[in-house]
Amino acid sequence: MPLSIHDTYSRTKRPFEPRDPNRVTLYVCGPTVYNYAHIGNARPVVVFDVLFRLLRHTYGDDHVIYARNITDVDDKINAAALAQGVPISTITDKFAAIYNADMAALGALTPTAQPRATAHIDAIVAMIGRLVANASAYAAEGHVLFDTQSFPDYGKLSGHTLEDLIAGARVDVAPYKRNAADFVLWKPSKPGEPVWDSPFGPGRPGWHIECSAMIEETLGLPIDIHGGGHDLIFPHHENEIAQGLCSHKGGGADHSDTYARYWMHNGFLTMDAEKMSKSLGNVRLVHELIERFPGEVIRWALLSAHYRAPLDWTDDLLEQSHRTLDRLYQSLQDAARETGQSAATPLADASLEAQAVAGAKAVIDALEDDLNTPAAMAALSALATSLRQAVTTKLDDAPVKQRTLVVAGGLLGFLQADPGAWFEGGADEALKSQVEALIGARAEARRSKDWAAADRIRGELTALGVEVLDGPGGTATWRRRE
Ligand SMILES: [Zn+2]
């Protein structure tokens, strides 16, 4: 089944056909790096990471270019830099590094390119110059503004008309704007803020223009897929289309009719059914969550709802996700014990390996249906059930099923850890040897039927935050609980 995508622009689910299957392009709006990312910021990262993995699987690793920008000039960054008396790069370098580490902890692959706005100022200035030259933009009071009246398709992505935008006051009204919906491309810098020279006077870019400039420089128009959170449809993505297309108006460019061939937007994330906000005190930072839960558990929770649907973030969801992943890893651990092999590497027999890879089809089918991650994760659980049955009844195809589960998990970014390491949960060597010694002593106590001692030792293990799972033939595995 070929991939089909719900396209926000056409409001339909359409089969995905890349412009060039040898160079599939994906752009996702990235973070403004001035503080820690919250869990709502992580949702598009993980969703589009699954898409990136699926596209790589379909078109080949070297044929997919995924760009996720870093906004490194912005009012909030400037404010943080001024408050601390440091250059903006001190703030942005720090938080870009933290962001990348936190997203890597959630299993997100590094995008092919992570362009930064401040490294593309020349392209931004050139694009604004073209917009002014062809009368799509105008200068006023040190600002350059995009003239929304010059673009008849303005509002098509979001379903707004210029009239309802103005009537509904969805736009900032400023005295220097010809029309209330016009938006800033370039603005003067305030004292102490970073400033760049330009033909329109010294200043800095507005936010929207950076994505259009970076898309042109890193990917080229039209791109195949543009992604982001639902809240970016208007005005950010609407403005990207307007300035991106109009910058080629009258310029003889051969690609001035389409900006992005498919638009994908993920739904909102709420906290216990409430909006996440500082005033409600319910902001959850990824940086803190990864201290409490394995990144893979957080990833599972983020993908548990379809990306277009709202996702309600609760402690229950995290705990349930943890239990589900424990069950999947347990299947792998039991299988490894039975088959005597790890499923991390391809099976030696090529035809068996092909069989194992083919077994992941149900997961791929679900993902190709507009990235239906809940269905894909259900298929993964079904593969684990089938593996458990094969192991219990000692079927010959247990090694193939074991491998299938790891291959299928990899498509979603799951189950790539060693099962033993998963259950040890990052325990240090000292704790590991302490636990192993206690488990050995407990096994000895059980063999000599000293149940009181065995129970006492289990209590000691519990106090260490360790749960012991007795396996067949007196073997025991253990896991850490938070
Ligand atoms: Zn953007």
Side-chain angles (χ1 to χ4, degrees):
M1 189 169 66
L3 170 62
S4 64
I5 287 174
H6 179 91
D7 169 31
T8 311
Y9 196 92
S10 63
R11 292 159 178 77
T12 53
K13 194 154 104 177
R14 301 195 286 126
F16 176 67
E17 289 161 13
R19 192 161 72 112
D20 176 0
N22 288 314
R23 192 175 179 279
V24 181
T25 51
L26 167 65
Y27 185 91
V28 174
C29 293
T32 302
V33 281
Y34 68 99
N35 62 7
Y36 294 95
H38 61 66
I39 190 65
N41 303 137
R43 191 177 186 195
V45 173
V46 168
V47 162
F48 291 107
D49 180 67
V50 173
L51 178 64
F52 184 37
R53 286 169 189 264
L54 180 64
L55 293 172
R56 282 159 61 103
H57 170 81
T58 307
Y59 298 99
D61 289 1
D62 297 335
H63 299 297
V64 184
I65 306 177
Y66 170 25
R68 187 181 67 211
N69 72 301
I70 289 178
T71 296
D72 62 353
V73 55
D74 167 271
D75 288 341
K76 287 171 178 152
I77 295 171
N78 293 338
L82 276 174
Q84 295 177 35
V86 295
I88 58 168
S89 61
T90 304
I91 306 283
T92 58
D93 287 349
K94 175 185 168 185
F95 284 106
I98 291 171
Y99 179 86
N100 280 334
D102 287 351
M103 297 309 135
L106 303 185
L109 303 174
T110 307
T112 325
Q114 292 194 81
R116 291 177 179 224
T118 56
H120 291 79
I121 300 290
D122 289 351
I124 291 170
V125 168
M127 184 174 268
I128 297 173
R130 295 201 301 274
L131 289 166
V132 172
N134 70 23
S136 302
Y138 58 93
E141 295 181 27
H143 294 68
V144 181
L145 292 120
F146 183 86
D147 180 359
T148 47
Q149 299 278 357
S150 73
F151 183 53
D153 283 347
Y154 193 81
K156 261 201 170 174
L157 174 70
S158 56
H160 289 300
T161 62
L162 283 175
E163 292 72 31
D164 80 47
L165 287 172
I166 295 159
R170 291 283 307 269
V171 289
D172 297 328
V173 179
Y176 45 79
K177 289 184 177 182
R178 280 186 200 161
N179 305 290
D182 295 353
F183 57 90
V184 169
L185 300 170
W186 189 261
K187 59 182 170 182
S189 301
K190 295 190 191 101
E193 288 184 346
V195 59
W196 287 269
D197 280 332
S198 87
F200 342 105
R204 61 192 182 90
W207 169 40
H208 311 298
I209 191 76
E210 71 174 71
C211 283
S212 291
M214 288 189 278
I215 280 177
E216 287 236 25
E217 284 222 308
T218 52
L219 303 177
L221 291 186
I223 57 169
D224 285 312
I225 303 172
H226 195 316
H230 198 262
D231 52 332
L232 296 183
I233 296 175
F234 185 85
H236 185 53
H237 290 163
E238 197 71 78
N239 293 352
E240 272 193 41
I241 296 172
Q243 70 210 358
L245 292 183
C246 289
S247 71
H248 291 288
K249 220 194 297 187
D254 60 358
H255 44 53
S256 58
D257 56 340
T258 306
Y259 183 74
R261 302 172 76 247
Y262 300 81
W263 285 89
M264 293 175 76
H265 292 98
N266 64 274
F268 293 114
L269 182 142
T270 52
M271 300 296 308
D272 295 307
E274 285 193 279
K275 195 176 179 329
M276 180 163 44
S277 75
K278 266 192 187 149
S279 57
L280 288 169
N282 60 0
V283 175
R284 295 282 182 283
L285 303 179
V286 176
H287 204 67
E288 290 168 359
L289 281 166
I290 57 179
E291 294 295 316
R292 289 175 49 213
F293 292 92
E296 199 170 335
V297 167
I298 299 167
R299 183 181 178 91
W300 187 278
L302 283 169
L303 294 173
S304 62
H306 189 270
Y307 76 91
R308 297 180 60 215
L311 172 66
D312 192 33
W313 194 258
T314 62
D315 281 350
D316 267 3
L317 173 64
L318 278 164
E319 278 152 24
Q320 201 185 320
S321 300
H322 205 167
R323 280 195 296 274
T324 306
L325 276 167
D326 276 351
R327 205 160 54 232
L328 295 178
Y329 272 112
Q330 190 68 58
S331 309
L332 287 173
Q333 193 171 45
D334 293 346
R337 198 181 297 129
E338 194 62 38
T339 63
Q341 64 186 52
S342 142
T345 50
L347 295 165
D349 181 322
S351 77
L352 289 183
E353 174 66 10
Q355 208 182 317
V357 170
K361 186 174 182 301
V363 170
I364 294 169
D365 284 351
L367 292 178
E368 287 184 335
D369 180 13
D370 194 25
L371 227 55
N372 190 340
T373 53
M377 287 147 74
L380 207 56
S381 289
L383 289 173
T385 303
S386 169
L387 170 62
R388 274 195 297 278
Q389 284 163 353
V391 168
T392 315
T393 52
K394 304 201 186 299
L395 291 178
D396 291 345
D397 62 355
V400 169
K401 292 191 169 186
Q402 186 187 352
R403 174 78 184 139
T404 294
L405 185 53
V406 171
V407 169
L411 291 163
L412 286 152
F414 296 128
L415 304 181
Q416 303 303 294
D418 172 74
W422 169 262
F423 289 117
E424 288 162 12
D428 59 24
E429 288 305 319
L431 177 63
K432 273 191 213 171
S433 48
Q434 191 183 0
V435 169
E436 297 296 344
L438 284 168
I439 287 179
R442 177 170 165 271
E444 188 54 45
R446 284 160 65 95
R447 266 195 296 279
S448 51
K449 302 199 189 315
D450 184 351
W451 307 118
D455 283 351
R456 180 174 45 76
I457 296 168
R458 182 184 275 271
E460 284 179 45
L461 286 160
T462 306
L464 288 171
V466 166
E467 180 186 1
V468 179
L469 302 145
D470 292 311
T475 59
T477 54
W478 59 279
R479 62 180 60 173
R480 287 182 87 195
R481 307 304 307 185
E482 64 280 334

